[in-house]
Amino acid sequence: MAQLWKGRFKKALAKETNDFNASIGFDCRMFEEDIKGSIAHATMLGACGIIAQDEADKIAAGLSDILTDLQSGALTIDMEAEDIHTFVEGELTARLGQTGKRLHTARSRNDQVALDLRMTLKKEIDAVSDQLKALITVLCDKAAQHTQTIMPGYTHLQRAQPITFGHHLMAYTAMLLRDLERLADVKARMNVLPLGSGALAGTTYPLDRSLVAELLGFDSVSQNSLDGVSDRDFCLELAAALSVIMVHLSRFSEEIILWCSWEFKFVELDDAFSTGSSIMPQKKNPDIAELVRGKSGRVFGDLTALLTVMKGIPLAYNKDMQEDKEAIFDAVDTVKMCLNAFTPMIDTMTVLADNMRSAAAKGFINATDCADYLVGKGLPFRDAYKATGELVALCIEKGLTLETLPLRDYQAVCALFDDSVYEVINLEKCVADRLVEGGPSAQSVEKQIAIARSAIAE
């Protein structure tokens, strides 16, 4: 298939140059967006009288037929074409003759590819957002089942204070809700039509860019033609948002990996979402979580690649920018792949509540509540803190917990203690009393769940 730019050149393009220059191998995924963008462009050309209306109608109909044939498999993309734009225009010309050649009037591949990429990534943002909502739904459902499942909360990976498993899950839900907001922000800034910017300086044809924007669902048109063809901020922003999603999935994966170990044994993954060892028959490995954790680096690499490509490019379009697609497509595909495996893994895992409760009981995570008890009796917090620390040391020495330490030992440290301390340091009560908004009490977690459900319903 001939290049669209052959006129000036007398020699055939070297095969090595063609192979190096071609982008059809990765931009072919934009065929639907390329054709829909071209239909809108042809419709506008006819409406503005730039080409004859009957020719505009033939072009639109011809493009629709090509799209139908590609979707049905009746037509396959010629991978020898330079790019998807060349293939579509060449196929249209083969079908319509001279009329097909009028499609590219008042348009450059520079603003055409900028349009295709925005349209494609808007669609991908919607797909990733739907997957995030599915994961949030699973987390809310599971959190609702575990609003009273006591587990230790950690700082520095040391047992710190009592929370519930539902509370822990809702922390990840809060992260994912922010991810949804970031994607929506990216899409809003992405939803600007670049078509009409031409190669870099617009065109002398009387285009109606607003009509094309309306036909394709864009909120506005770009206000500077140089920026219209050379802007890839939307790729950078999307790659950054996808990277943050992977940070969250990777953190969650790390906890799943820890929780599956015999040292924790807080959860057990379903057999359908685990693998075994080729030599050790007892092994049940959390490979999905490990792969998600590993693939986060891949997405971070895509972001770094995009930033590196764009940092030294003068205005306007440069061929370096062809590198944008493989990186951003890989980031999108990797996140979608991870979410596709991660969500059912979480949905089907078994929560070992007794093990969580046992770990909570052994960690002195009610020590703060014990200190607060003394504060309620009138002791300054620092003195209460010191007394409780002495009690913890005594428990360790005797192999006891705060719940099993005799009252006489309490009173030997501080005379303010009486039998009521055992009620205060009860783990269930420690959690239930934390009614503060955002806290771990069942009432608070249920509110968090309702807020999250409402957010994704909107």
Side-chain angles (χ1 to χ4, degrees), residues 125-137 173-187 241 244-245 248 339 452 455-457:
I125 286 174
D126 289 342
V128 173
S129 296
D130 286 343
Q131 287 183 295
L132 286 175
K133 290 175 184 177
L135 177 53
I136 289 169
T137 298
T173 298
M175 299 179 203
L176 298 176
L177 287 172
R178 291 195 296 273
D179 290 329
L180 278 175
E181 292 174 359
R182 267 185 285 273
L183 289 176
D185 288 343
V186 173
K187 185 178 178 183
V244 177
I245 291 172
H248 296 155
L339 286 167
I456 62 174

Side-chain angles (χ1 to χ4, degrees), residues 373 387 390-391 394-395 398 400-422 425:
Y373 168 85
E390 292 176 10
L391 290 170
L394 184 61
C395 286
K398 293 189 172 187
L400 300 173
T401 66
L402 289 173
E403 296 96 322
T404 58
L405 187 69
L407 181 60
R408 63 178 179 275
D409 290 328
Y410 274 99
Q411 292 175 333
V413 171
C414 179
L416 293 174
F417 282 110
D418 58 41
D419 281 335
S420 62
V421 68
Y422 294 108
I425 62 173

Side-chain angles (χ1 to χ4, degrees), residues 139-326:
L139 291 175
C140 285
D141 290 345
K142 198 162 283 288
Q145 298 167 16
H146 295 283
T147 58
Q148 300 191 50
T149 301
I150 302 295
M151 70 174 290
Y154 294 83
T155 61
H156 308 280
L157 208 56
Q158 303 295 312
R159 295 168 190 166
Q161 289 184 296
I163 59 171
T164 66
F165 188 57
H167 187 228
H168 198 109
L169 293 178
M170 291 312 294
Y172 283 105
T173 298
M175 299 179 203
L176 298 176
L177 287 172
R178 291 195 296 273
D179 290 329
L180 278 175
E181 292 174 359
R182 267 185 285 273
L183 289 176
D185 288 343
V186 173
K187 185 178 178 183
R189 276 186 292 277
M190 188 184 292
N191 206 26
V192 176
L193 179 84
L195 201 64
S197 299
L200 77 160
T203 177
T204 58
Y205 291 99
L207 305 183
D208 186 348
R209 298 184 67 200
S210 294
L211 173 60
V212 180
E214 181 181 348
L215 291 172
L216 295 176
F218 283 88
D219 293 334
S220 60
V221 302
S222 57
Q223 293 302 301
N224 182 284
S225 58
L226 287 167
D227 183 59
V229 296
S230 64
D231 168 38
R232 292 298 184 273
D233 286 0
F234 60 95
C235 290
L236 301 179
E237 285 193 64
L238 178 54
L242 294 172
S243 294
V244 177
I245 291 172
M246 289 305 297
V247 168
H248 296 155
L249 293 181
S250 184
R251 292 182 71 184
F252 202 170
S253 293
E254 174 67 11
E255 298 211 283
I256 296 296
I257 293 162
L258 287 172
W259 292 343
C260 284
S261 70
W262 283 101
E263 285 69 24
F264 279 77
K265 214 58 182 171
F266 286 178
V267 302
E268 182 171 351
L269 298 181
D270 190 89
D271 287 355
F273 295 94
S274 305
T275 63
S277 165
S278 63
I279 190 172
M280 296 170 284
Q282 84 280 11
K283 294 291 293 297
K284 185 175 183 180
N285 300 325
D287 280 9
I288 287 178
E290 291 173 353
L291 275 172
V292 170
R293 184 177 60 182
K295 287 182 182 295
S296 63
R298 180 170 177 160
V299 178
F300 303 161
D302 291 328
L303 172 59
T304 300
L306 286 165
L307 290 167
T308 305
V309 166
M310 293 304 299
K311 73 174 181 62
I313 297 181
L315 292 175
Y317 182 83
N318 294 264
K319 193 67 172 183
D320 316 44
M321 293 166 67
Q322 181 169 291
E323 291 295 299
D324 58 2
K325 294 167 204 63
E326 286 182 284

Side-chain angles (χ1 to χ4, degrees), residues 343-395:
T343 299
M345 179 190 73
I346 297 297
D347 191 29
T348 57
M349 74 180 182
T350 300
V351 178
L352 305 176
D354 289 344
N355 291 348
M356 290 183 176
R357 179 63 173 75
S358 178
K362 296 174 182 176
F364 303 106
I365 60 178
N366 46 4
T368 301
D369 300 271
C370 183
D372 288 341
Y373 168 85
L374 291 177
V375 171
K377 294 269 189 177
L379 198 66
F381 179 77
R382 278 299 158 210
D383 293 336
Y385 176 96
K386 181 176 181 296
T388 304
E390 292 176 10
L391 290 170
V392 169
L394 184 61
C395 286

Side-chain angles (χ1 to χ4, degrees), residues 104-123:
H104 208 56
T105 305
R107 187 176 69 172
S108 165
R109 281 192 300 178
N110 293 355
D111 58 351
Q112 184 179 359
V113 69
L115 170 68
D116 291 0
L117 190 52
R118 285 174 187 259
M119 290 176 66
T120 299
L121 294 181
K122 284 199 299 175
K123 180 177 70 176

